[in-house]
């Protein structure tokens, strides 16, 4: 049983496209995190959400607590956005992770 | 502000040995959490410490243990290593635990032969 489901698993986009990655979860949570991992690299936290919407530059994250769903949007995608994006949920002091979405942005 | 530091970055062990990994959090952060990442299982939560107390533990056997010191530095130990323990072990620090922003270290890559 997977507490966190992400879609799509793989995504290829042309530079400049609008991208959406989805995350659905089945447990009650206190927070949801969106993480970014570059090949061979460490993990960077993009967003931590408990409600509503957050925006950092070209990245937007939304969460609907009632529907247990979150989305990560990338506007005007760029090749440097190529990475694995991971959704993580926390019911409180522990974490469940999605399997990640591998994004490739082609120039 | 210095980031999260994990040591060693790479290590090779043989089956049956034990290993200790270290994580120094960002100054002022009292929460340290540990994760295992493998190609097959992805990221999995190991445990979380806050002010020297383990607050939660993931679904791993007792061979996996950890501790946190009064300066918030944390160590994890894996005893009686198995081939399946080969993985990237990551730690993250936070000012608040799971409800706060996570700052990850670069990880310790363990290979068990």
């Amino acid at each position: 049983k997977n507490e966190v489901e992400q879609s799509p698993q793989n995504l290829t986009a042309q530079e400049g496209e609008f991208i959406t990655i989805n995350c659905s979860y089945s447990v009650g949570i206190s927070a949801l995190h969106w993480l970014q991992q570059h090949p061979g690299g460490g993990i960077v936290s993009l967003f931590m959400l408990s409600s509503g919407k957050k925006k950092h530059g070209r990245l937007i994250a939304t969460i609907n607590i009632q529907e247990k769903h979150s989305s990560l949007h990338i506007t005007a995608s760029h090749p440097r956005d190529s990475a694995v994006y991971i959704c993580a949920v926390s019911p409180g002091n522990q974490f469940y992770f999605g399997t990640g979405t591998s994004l490739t942005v082609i120039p | 502000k210095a980031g999260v530091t994990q040591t060693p970055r790479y290590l090779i062990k043989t089956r049956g040995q034990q290993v200790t990994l270290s994580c120094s959090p960002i100054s002022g952060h009292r929460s340290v959490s540990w994760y295992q990442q493998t190609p097959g299982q992805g990221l999995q939560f190991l445990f979380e410490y806050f002010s020297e107390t383990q607050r939660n533990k993931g679904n791993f056997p007792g061979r996996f243990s950890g501790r946190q010191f009064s300066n918030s530095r944390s160590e994890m130990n894996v005893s009686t290593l198995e081939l399946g323990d080969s993985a990237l072990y990551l730690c993250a620090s936070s000012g608040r635990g799971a409800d706060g922003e996570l700052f990850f270290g670069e990880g310790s890559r363990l290979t068990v032969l």
Side-chain angles (χ1 to χ4, degrees):
Chain A
K1 163 174 149 344
N2 293 328
E3 288 82 0
V4 182
E5 299 282 353
Q6 267 186 255
S7 63
Q9 281 194 304
N10 297 284
L11 183 54
T12 300
Q14 290 291 131
E15 184 173 356
E17 283 186 13
F18 181 87
I19 288 163
T20 296
I21 299 170
N22 295 298
C23 175
S24 296
Y25 54 92
S26 59
V27 296
I29 67 169
S30 56
L32 181 145
H33 301 255
W34 281 103
L35 310 172
Q36 181 193 56
Q37 186 172 34
H38 284 281
I43 294 177
V44 174
S45 174
L46 298 175
F47 294 101
M48 193 278 293
L49 293 161
S50 54
S51 64
K53 176 180 173 178
K54 287 189 176 179
K55 183 175 187 290
H56 292 157
R58 295 179 295 106
L59 273 60
I60 302 166
T62 63
I63 187 168
N64 185 318
I65 297 293
Q66 287 73 30
E67 294 186 4
K68 294 187 175 177
H69 182 269
S70 175
S71 293
L72 175 67
H73 305 287
I74 304 175
T75 62
S77 59
H78 189 276
R80 65 176 174 265
D81 297 326
S82 298
V84 175
Y85 293 83
I86 302 167
C87 173
V89 301
S90 171
N93 299 325
Q94 68 169 298
F95 294 88
Y96 298 103
F97 295 90
T99 53
T101 296
S102 180
L103 171 65
T104 302
V105 181
I106 300 169
Chain B
K1 198 174 188 180
V4 178
T5 303
Q6 289 190 247
T7 57
R9 291 291 313 279
Y10 302 92
L11 65 167
I12 299 173
K13 294 285 187 179
T14 56
R15 279 181 298 174
Q17 287 187 310
Q18 73 164 15
V19 66
T20 299
L21 309 177
S22 177
C23 175
S24 293
I26 289 172
S27 177
H29 283 186
R30 292 194 288 166
S31 168
V32 174
S33 49
W34 288 90
Y35 309 88
Q36 182 194 66
Q37 187 175 38
T38 59
Q41 298 293 322
L43 267 169
Q44 294 183 278
F45 169 77
L46 279 158
F47 24 67
E48 192 256 356
Y49 288 87
F50 187 90
S51 294
E52 301 180 69
T53 300
Q54 185 183 89
R55 296 200 293 190
N56 220 324
K57 185 172 165 44
N59 190 23
F60 279 82
R63 300 185 297 107
F64 291 80
S65 63
R67 58 179 175 168
Q68 187 180 32
F69 302 95
S70 58
N71 62 357
S72 293
R73 189 177 71 85
S74 178
E75 289 181 347
M76 68 162 282
N77 183 274
V78 187
S79 62
T80 320
L81 284 166
E82 300 176 0
L83 295 178
D85 296 333
S86 294
L88 180 66
Y89 290 89
L90 293 151
C91 78
S93 80
S94 168
R96 293 172 51 190
D99 292 352
E101 185 178 2
L102 300 173
F103 296 85
F104 285 83
E106 292 293 316
S108 294
R109 185 165 295 281
L110 170 65
T111 301
V112 182
L113 301 176

